[in-house]
Amino acid sequence: MSLTAIGAGLAAFTGIGAGIGISIATGKATDAVARQPEADGKIMRLLLLGCALAEATAIYGFVVAIMIILFA
Amino acid sequence: MLNISIVNIVCTIINLLILYFVFKKFLFGRVDEILAKRQEEVDSATATADKAIAEAMAQKSMYEEKISLADEEKETILADIKKQGYDEYDRIVTDARKKGDQIVKEARHKAMAEAERAKEEYAGQMRDMVIDAASKIAATDRDKADDYKLYDKFINEAKAVKNE
Amino acid sequence: MKEMLNELLMEDKTLIHMPFGGGYFDIYASVVVSWIILAVVIVLVLILTKDLKVHNISKRQAALESVVMFLRNLISTIIGEEAGGYTDYIVTVLVFIGLCNMVGLFGFTPPTMDLNVTIALSVMSIVLVEAAGIMKKGAGGWLKSFAHPMAVIAPMNVLELVIRPLSLCMRLFGNILGATVIMELIKHVVPVILPAALSLYFDLFDGAIQAYVFCFLTSLYIKEAVE
């Protein structure tokens, strides 16, 4: 059990934050669409944007994990 | 993976700038030209349409003025004609009345003249009858009773002639 | 599996080895691939805008005009009124990054999988943002805008000058790296149908979204700096 493996595993934990954040955002987006169905184009665009930005933190964790595996 | 070489960064920056200039000159330049020309045509078309509408409105107001003036003229002409008609009517009525009066007067004159003539004729007939009676009386010798009888007969005949 | 990942990520990607003065110029494969993309795009643009007419346009010209107006509309709604002159550059970057991310379909390694390319892109973006701020407000006004909402936040604002491009660069790099690695793994395991179906998401959709997010954030920063 080398420490690199543990390090990489810990780095992959950043996915939790992204998952929770995006799920809450999607829930609120469906609430907004249910409240006003004709604005669903704008809401979908905003949701997509928010998800792409929130996923960045998860990706940072992924990149760090790969770097740990490959460089140490 | 983590090699950062300045050369490649500079190369990529140069690539981006080349792409930007090509896009700006060829893609956006030409497309913008076409869009501007189209916009210009639309603008000139709307401008001429606006001008035509303004002209049409001006002409319409001019025509409306003319129509209202024509209305007034019509009213004055009608009033004139009506007045003429009433005048004519009055004149005819007074003429007729005058003529009627004249006819009545003439008829009265004529009637009086007729009456005079009839009276004269009657007096003439009376004279003739008196002369006749007188001659008859003068021609016969009579006594007073025959005279009274003759007078009565003469008066009765005169009454009869008068009553005819 | 490890050798495949090694081959994808670790090896020195020098494609062209040009001698220059004392040392060598190493041109990486990513730059060569972006040269190929550039050539294709330039030829395409030259062909499509050959003779444009005002009325009675062909379908090709109508499609081209609608694409250009759609892209411009995407960016100009965010960048606002005053900074409208920067729209052209951002549309160029959008098209470039979008195409770079999608060459994974053709078997090349995407140029944006190289850290140098994304660093170059983010450096250009941050230089553009700061230049827009300086041209609008003047040098003194730009320095004062660091203390903009409150003076206490000034260190954060100065730090943002470094953090923004770093985040842009790492986001783009990490997304494309992850997509490519997963596609390689899938191709290794199930070579037949699954890659085609999944690459619809990973290559096309993800690539397009990442390009749009990059440009959206850049135009948001420009708008904020010029307001």
Side-chain angles (χ1 to χ4, degrees), chain B residues 1-5 7-8 12-13 15-16 19-20 22-23 26-28 30 32 34 37-38 41, chain C residues 9 25-26 28 31 34-35 38 41 46 49-50 52-55 65 72 88-89 115-116 121:
Chain B
M1 186 169 73
L2 279 186
N3 308 325
I4 299 187
S5 79
V7 175
N8 285 306
T12 309
I13 294 184
N15 280 347
L16 270 179
L19 191 63
Y20 173 57
V22 164
F23 262 38
F26 290 104
L27 191 64
F28 290 126
R30 292 186 193 172
D32 276 345
I34 303 284
K37 260 194 256 181
R38 235 179 255 161
E41 277 184 18
Chain C
L9 299 171
F25 265 162
D26 299 333
Y28 286 169
V31 175
S34 55
W35 280 341
L38 213 58
V41 167
L46 281 179
T49 66
K50 205 157 169 48
L52 297 178
K53 298 191 277 249
V54 183
H55 291 291
E65 280 187 19
R72 266 188 171 166
D88 283 344
Y89 173 74
L115 203 59
N116 301 310
L121 284 166

Side-chain angles (χ1 to χ4, degrees), chain C residues 11-32:
Chain C
E11 284 187 356
D12 185 17
K13 294 289 206 300
T14 315
L15 207 56
I16 303 181
H17 205 68
M18 287 180 0
F20 173 75
Y24 287 97
F25 265 162
D26 299 333
I27 310 279
Y28 286 169
S30 54
V31 175
V32 174

Side-chain angles (χ1 to χ4, degrees), chain B residues 1 3-13 15-16, chain C residues 28-35 37 89 93 96-97 100-101 109-125 165 168-170 172-173 176 214:
Chain B
M1 186 169 73
N3 308 325
I4 299 187
S5 79
I6 309 285
V7 175
N8 285 306
I9 296 184
V10 168
C11 272
T12 309
I13 294 184
N15 280 347
L16 270 179
Chain C
Y28 286 169
S30 54
V31 175
V32 174
V33 173
S34 55
W35 280 341
I37 295 177
Y89 173 74
V93 166
F96 180 67
I97 300 182
C100 278
N101 294 344
T109 62
T112 37
M113 202 166 96
D114 189 4
L115 203 59
N116 301 310
V117 170
T118 44
I119 287 183
L121 284 166
S122 50
V123 161
M124 286 281 287
S125 287
L168 280 175
C169 145
M170 292 317 268
L172 186 60
F173 172 66
I176 304 300
F214 189 94

Side-chain angles (χ1 to χ4, degrees), chain C residues 77-113:
Chain C
T77 46
I78 306 161
I79 221 172
E81 296 275 327
E82 298 190 355
Y86 300 112
T87 315
D88 283 344
Y89 173 74
I90 306 252
V91 168
T92 312
V93 166
L94 177 67
V95 168
F96 180 67
I97 300 182
L99 285 176
C100 278
N101 294 344
M102 293 188 201
V103 281
L105 279 175
F106 298 117
F108 295 116
T109 62
T112 37
M113 202 166 96

